[in-house]
Amino acid sequence: MPSKLPLSDITAYYLERLIQQRIDRLRLVSDKATPIGDMVSTVRQLEQLALQHQTLSSQGAKHHQSLQQTEAEIFRLLGFNLDNAKPQATILVVDDTPEVLQFFSETLARQGYEVCSAISGTIALNHATQIQPDLILLDIMMPTIDGYEVCERLKADPNTENIPVIFVSAIHEPFDKVKAFNMGGVDYLTKPIQVEELLIRIEHQLTLQRFRKQMMDQNLLFRTEVEQQLQAATVYRQFFDQAVDGLYRISPEGKFVEVNAALATLLGYDDVETLLQVEGMQRLYVSASRWGELLQYLYQYGRVQEFESQVLRPDGSHIWISESVHAVRNEDGIILGLEGIVRDVTQRKEYLERLLQDRWQQEQALQ
């Protein structure tokens, strides 16, 4: 096949969209397996088939079979084989008249539906439970169990309650139609049936059913995500509260947003609430310039590791702390706050100071 066919822009765009929609069913074949003839003839055929496909697509389910044939011919000319499609949906037809069952089965099968038949209400209930059809066409006047009772039982069973039921009956009385809807039916058609109307009603209900399933799937996914987030928040909360190291979250303005009990103890405060009343870490540094130095490192490198400072405790004593801090940013890079880990390094600092002092004294003695 030529690398590029001189199709009109509109046709090329339409065919490109069609390929994208059917990409999971396309299988590339060699030119020898699907000769396309000369370029001019191929272009003309594709232009005609694309227009025909557009027309059939706008005419509903009645022309589904012709639409499939047109698609297959388009893809053959483009050098693809179109794998057989799965049935559009599974429809259970319930009627006590064999001729009616045959009519529905043949009509719906030609439109790409998988059809199951039931000649009685009892069989219909068994089939509905076993095959879980996407839609049920249900007659009313049947012996033993009529359509009303069948529908009522279907709606009472959690396994079948969500299957849409379209009543199909020769009864024209408004009372019977109201009763059908009260039993849980979603639509009502009177015999004799107009095929085009039947197909449109079926297509409409299946579209609604697909939408409902999508909404249910999305709701389930949303609930799952919420539960996962709640679980993650619980784990984080437990980690934050029970951590041995001091932890804090600070607003961009430098005020405490959240602190844990370990930090309150480390800094000499009685409880978390008392520490939260302090405006922020910048109020605790002995050196007034220390907070600005930390921010300078943070903006330059994105995070600060083991930043050592001397802080003042409420009882007037001083301790040395080591902070590891990182900035929390949104998608635009704007800082939403700071998160830090604080450790008490007073003993290590005092030990190092003693070592330096001893070394200095030794050097002085040797002089």
Side-chain angles (χ1 to χ4, degrees), residues 300-320:
Q300 184 174 357
Y301 300 107
R303 62 176 54 243
V304 177
Q305 297 288 341
E306 299 181 356
F307 186 82
E308 295 184 355
S309 309
Q310 198 172 27
V311 295
L312 178 66
R313 305 179 82 183
D315 61 5
S317 62
H318 293 175
I319 64 169
W320 282 91

Side-chain angles (χ1 to χ4, degrees), residues 11 40 64 85 88-89 95 129 135 159 170 174 192 227 337 339:
T11 302
V40 175
H64 177 75
Q88 289 192 79
D95 199 294
T129 302
L135 183 140
N159 296 317
E227 290 175 359
E339 292 182 347

Side-chain angles (χ1 to χ4, degrees), residues 125 128-129 132 151-163:
L125 291 171
T129 302
Q132 292 290 300
C151 187
E152 187 176 23
R153 291 191 189 183
L154 289 172
K155 298 305 172 183
D157 186 346
N159 296 317
T160 57
E161 63 178 345
N162 292 320
I163 302 174

Side-chain angles (χ1 to χ4, degrees), residues 10-56:
I10 294 178
T11 302
Y13 174 74
Y14 187 81
L15 294 178
E16 183 178 344
R17 285 180 52 200
L18 186 59
I19 290 173
Q20 290 297 326
Q21 293 168 2
R22 304 290 187 271
I23 193 69
D24 59 329
R25 294 172 48 208
L26 295 181
R27 180 163 45 85
L28 187 63
V29 296
S30 66
D31 291 343
K32 293 181 179 179
T34 55
I36 62 172
D38 66 275
M39 181 183 295
V40 175
S41 174
T42 300
V43 169
R44 288 176 179 172
Q45 291 181 65
L46 285 172
E47 296 276 5
Q48 293 174 355
L49 289 170
L51 180 60
Q52 181 179 341
H53 190 276
Q54 286 179 290
T55 303
L56 292 171

